[in-house]
């Protein structure tokens, strides 16, 4: 009924990117994909928890996007049964408690990086990923970006979550023996399509 027309089919570029990233989580085998735009908004302390895994050009966008993930193994968490709440009068108290927790997280002095360093669940979910894994992946990824795909391939082969420090760089590994890490497998599969030549 209004004289102003709105094209409801239009999606902003940000919504388009978010939708594409969400869909790409399955391709990369990760829980979360984060664009470099979001990582730039994070504090440097939180940024160190983000692992650079690729650079892509999303359909409908002209600018390449660097993709990051935060490595968390959700399977390490123990699911505890939901506790039965008491009478109706406690609902109000629970709502107040949730609102207070939400307000605390929105305050200017709340630092997510401190939660990553201190929260028992997050620590447990990150325990599966050895520092050596991150170093190896980072080195392999730099070679991948530089176009040294055979070197990158050999390094990606060693990117196990808890790598053996004495492991040599193998040159011929069957796919079933590749590391289980989703981004590692995705990049190895992509490079294999051109026989590891960029």
């Amino acid at each position: 009924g209004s004289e102003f027309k709105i094209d409801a089919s239009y999606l902003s570029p940000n919504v388009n990117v978010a939708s594409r990233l969400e869909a790409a989580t399955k391709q990369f085998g990760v829980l979360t994909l984060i664009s470099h735009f979001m990582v730039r908004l994070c504090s440097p302390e939180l940024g160190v928890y983000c692992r650079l895994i690729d650079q892509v050009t999303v359909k409908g966008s002209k600018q390449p996007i660097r993709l990051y993930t935060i490595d968390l193994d959700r399977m390490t968490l123990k699911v505890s049964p939901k506790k039965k709440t008491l009478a109706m009068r406690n609902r109000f108290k629970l709502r107040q408690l949730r609102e207070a927790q939400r307000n605390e997280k929105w305050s200017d002095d709340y630092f997510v990086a401190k939660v990553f360093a201190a929260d028992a669940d997050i620590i447990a979910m990150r325990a599966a990923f050895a520092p050596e894994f991150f170093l190896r992946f980072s080195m392999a990824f730099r070679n991948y970006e530089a176009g040294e795909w055979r070197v990158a391939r050999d390094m990606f082969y060693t990117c196990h979550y808890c790598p053996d420090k004495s492991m040599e760089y193998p040159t011929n590994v069957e796919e079933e023996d590749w590391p289980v890490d989703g981004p590692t497998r995705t990049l190895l599969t992509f490079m294999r399509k051109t026989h590891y030549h960029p």
Side-chain angles (χ1 to χ4, degrees):
S2 170
E3 62 186 77
F4 301 104
K5 299 289 182 189
I6 298 174
D7 181 4
S9 66
Y10 171 76
L11 288 178
S12 76
N14 295 335
V15 173
N16 182 42
V17 168
S19 175
R20 304 279 181 194
L21 291 183
E22 192 277 329
T25 58
K26 294 170 190 66
Q27 176 187 347
F28 283 95
V30 293
L31 293 174
T32 308
L33 279 177
I34 308 164
S35 72
H36 67 274
F37 303 113
M38 287 301 297
V39 172
R40 272 196 232 138
L41 295 174
C42 295
S43 68
E45 295 83 6
L46 182 60
V48 299
Y49 290 100
C50 301
R51 175 169 57 125
L52 175 62
I53 60 169
D54 206 354
Q55 178 168 310
V56 299
T57 302
V58 177
K59 185 177 178 182
S61 174
K62 295 175 184 154
Q63 183 179 11
I65 298 173
R66 293 175 74 76
L67 300 180
Y68 292 80
T69 190
I70 295 179
D71 294 293
L72 299 169
D73 180 7
R74 70 182 185 276
M75 300 310 287
T76 60
L77 293 181
K78 304 286 185 258
V79 178
S80 52
K82 186 176 180 181
K83 296 177 183 175
K84 292 184 179 180
T85 57
L86 296 176
M88 285 273 256
R89 57 190 135 100
N90 282 345
R91 285 186 186 179
F92 180 71
K93 286 184 180 183
L94 286 172
R95 189 179 314 138
Q96 283 182 320
L97 179 62
R98 281 193 299 262
E99 187 152 334
Q101 290 171 337
R102 186 191 71 208
N103 289 339
E104 176 190 355
K105 291 175 182 159
W106 279 106
S107 72
D108 289 337
D109 59 344
Y110 184 80
F111 294 102
V112 178
K114 287 183 181 178
V115 175
F116 266 74
D119 184 82
D121 287 338
I122 293 176
I123 291 169
M125 288 189 290
R126 288 190 60 82
F129 306 96
E132 181 78 13
F133 161 73
F134 293 112
L135 291 172
R136 289 179 186 222
F137 185 90
S138 177
M139 193 178 299
F141 185 77
R142 278 183 272 164
N143 279 282
Y144 166 75
E145 274 195 314
E148 298 292 335
W149 283 12
R150 288 185 182 264
V151 175
R153 174 201 62 194
D154 295 347
M155 296 178 88
F156 278 131
Y157 285 156
T158 69
C159 289
H160 297 278
Y161 292 146
C162 291
D164 179 3
K165 291 184 183 197
S166 65
M167 181 184 283
E168 294 182 20
Y169 293 109
T171 56
N172 191 13
V173 176
E174 297 298 321
E175 186 172 353
E176 61 266 10
D177 296 324
W178 287 1
V180 297
D181 178 56
T184 299
R185 294 181 77 84
T186 300
L187 293 174
L188 283 169
T189 301
F190 177 73
M191 291 187 295
R192 183 175 61 184
K193 289 178 185 176
T194 60
H195 305 287
Y196 304 98
H197 292 290

